[in-house]
Amino acid sequence: MKMKKWLAPVLSLSLLLPALAGTQSVRAESMKPSAETPAVELRAGLDYLLSEHFTLAVVSMTKAYDGTSDAAAAQTALNQNAKDMVPAIASIYGEAGAKEFDRIFAAHNGYTDKYVTAVKGKDMMGQTAARNELEAFAKEFGSFLGSATEGNLPAAAAQDVVRTHEKQVLEVFDSYAAGNYKAAYSEFREGLGFMFGVSDALAGAITTQYPSKFDNTRSDTPAGDLRSALNHLAAEHYALAVLSMQKGFEKSPAYSALLEAQEGNTNDFTAAISSIYGAEGGAAFKQVWTGDHIFAQDVIVKAALSGDMAAITKARAKLDTFSTEFGKFLGSATGQNLPTEGATAAVAAHEKLVLEAFDIYQTTNKTGLFDSFRKGYSFMFGVGKALGGAIVTQKPELFQVKPPVTQPENPNNVTTIWFQLGNKTAQINGKNAMMDVAPYVKNGTTFVSLRTLTNTLGADVKYVPSNKTVELKLGNDKVVFWLGKNVIQVNGANVTLDAVVHIKDGRTQVPLRFIAEWLGWNVNWNGSNQSATLTKAM
């Protein structure tokens, strides 16, 4: 069974990644895969800090808007998250770099607070001023990242990433303030996922810049992708569980939207498990995950509101049962690479942290609520590490590091290229080469990664930040692509495609037949094995 690439965090840094592609060194292909290399540890640490920043930014803004008694504590937690990043920056870029990071990054948390105040006061000028401050922050912080990474993370691309993040935070808040809670928590999930893509790209830039600091390991290995995906799913689950129980206790109209968001997280978790252990394994996971788990939390909320202590005791007992049953599932599924006893203890500890946060929330002053929240959120990254490590140990064949496709020394020597739908292994003149994204069909059109195809065929591709386009050059010919459009420009003339250029797994995807034939290749389709053979046109 092949590891599905979508397990990696949703990465909409569409035009950042082309600038980073192929820059990291690749260790020997025979190296035993691991989810705990120095580079993957860096990525996991960034996963935690960046995703927690997004979560606390949204929570602090919505609580400030509602005027809750814990709003100030939420802002304090957000500020502390920023301070916690400083030692990590210092360990890589020294005290001077950390000081500059702190100066730029810490200040922007106050801009979102200004935005909340302006929205509450219906102060349009204040909202515009806050947005302008956030734009200035995006430019300054993006420039800092570009300079610090010595261009391994280009400043223009970094500015776009920071700008997108800030836009996503404000989108969640605006939807929440408008009472559109379903949209707010859908956008919350999207924005949270984006942060894991940011950590992926930033870790890649740092490890490329300082390979010896990370034992020449890569952060974007299949094992690293798995661990980050599990980090994402587990952390999102915790955040949604805590927030939903709070909203349920408040009798907030946002409660149903949070339960729906939890259902989305459950479905994504189920799909992840299914991609590794098959549909039967996914179904078994979902049955255990929902029965005495998600539903039990809802019962506890309702029982707390009614003061039904017997119902609370019974529901908490169900969570104990869940810990045991889920621990058994994990132990069995991983072939005891994650021992049942340890898995059970970890699940029980997680549930205890969720309930601890809920218990504190029911008190008058809510002292220690965000200390508890941050502890529980951090705990989930240990879960990602343990489960990811167990799966990689159990199924190493799914996580072998393979070299990316590189441009041939002389593209003119390439006469045949073979692609197959769903297969990341291409053949160039009969020799195997790995692709970044497997070819696939969408709405009847076969798509292929632009970078993989152009590198293989010998064309140049680059992102132009000023107008957010992708330019492809081959000799004196030039093609310009706009994402989300089916119109491209070929040597200055507009051409309409049958399909829309789009992003998949962080890569620009283009129609295979059009781009190959434009580059001077014939495309022959074999329906029996769903493959295409490209031969150089004479």
Side-chain angles (χ1 to χ4, degrees), residues 362-384:
Q362 296 175 68
T363 64
T364 303
N365 60 17
K366 299 178 176 54
T367 301
L369 174 62
F370 282 95
D371 288 340
S372 175
F373 179 88
R374 296 195 69 203
K375 180 170 64 175
Y377 192 85
S378 173
F379 184 84
M380 303 312 286
F381 292 81
V383 172

Side-chain angles (χ1 to χ4, degrees), residues 136-279:
F137 162 71
K139 290 180 178 178
E140 185 176 23
F141 190 53
S143 295
F144 166 81
L145 292 175
S147 175
T149 63
E150 299 176 308
N152 285 287
L153 182 59
Q159 289 172 0
D160 281 345
V161 169
V162 178
R163 188 177 293 113
T164 298
H165 157 62
E166 296 302 335
K167 178 182 177 183
Q168 289 175 328
V169 171
L170 296 188
E171 283 177 345
V172 177
F173 175 74
D174 286 342
S175 293
Y176 184 90
N180 191 349
Y181 303 116
K182 181 175 181 179
Y185 289 107
S186 175
E187 290 159 352
F188 172 82
R189 295 192 66 212
E190 181 181 349
L192 183 65
F194 184 81
M195 301 310 287
F196 288 85
V198 175
S199 62
D200 182 12
L202 186 55
I206 294 171
T207 53
T208 297
Q209 182 183 16
Y210 298 117
S212 61
K213 282 190 175 184
F214 302 94
D215 195 24
N216 293 304
T217 56
R218 291 173 50 186
S219 59
D220 64 345
T221 60
D225 288 345
L226 173 69
R227 179 171 168 184
S228 187
L230 294 172
N231 286 344
H232 175 195
L233 292 166
E236 182 183 70
H237 162 68
Y238 173 80
L240 292 174
V242 171
L243 293 175
S244 67
M245 294 184 78
Q246 291 180 4
K247 292 301 182 185
F249 187 72
E250 295 170 7
K251 299 182 180 179
S252 168
Y255 183 45
S256 61
L258 274 160
L259 291 181
E260 187 172 336
Q262 277 192 284
E263 183 179 1
N265 172 266
T266 295
N267 291 337
D268 287 350
F269 229 139
T270 301
I273 297 299
S274 298
S275 75
I276 299 168
Y277 296 110

Side-chain angles (χ1 to χ4, degrees), residues 273-294:
I273 297 299
S274 298
S275 75
I276 299 168
Y277 296 110
E280 186 175 344
F285 163 86
K286 189 170 186 178
Q287 182 177 4
V288 177
W289 183 260
T290 54
D292 288 330
H293 182 207
I294 306 297

Side-chain angles (χ1 to χ4, degrees), residues 12-70:
S12 300
L13 313 185
S14 56
L15 304 173
L16 165 61
L17 290 189
L20 301 178
T23 57
Q24 295 190 51
S25 60
V26 182
R27 304 191 90 193
E29 190 171 337
S30 61
M31 176 182 174
K32 183 177 180 181
S34 171
E36 300 180 25
T37 65
V40 171
E41 291 293 345
L42 171 67
R43 179 178 174 182
L46 292 171
D47 278 350
Y48 164 59
L49 290 168
L50 295 177
S51 67
E52 187 190 54
H53 164 73
F54 175 84
T55 300
L56 290 173
V58 169
V59 169
S60 66
M61 291 178 74
T62 54
K63 286 182 178 292
Y65 182 80
D66 290 337
T68 61
S69 60
D70 57 336

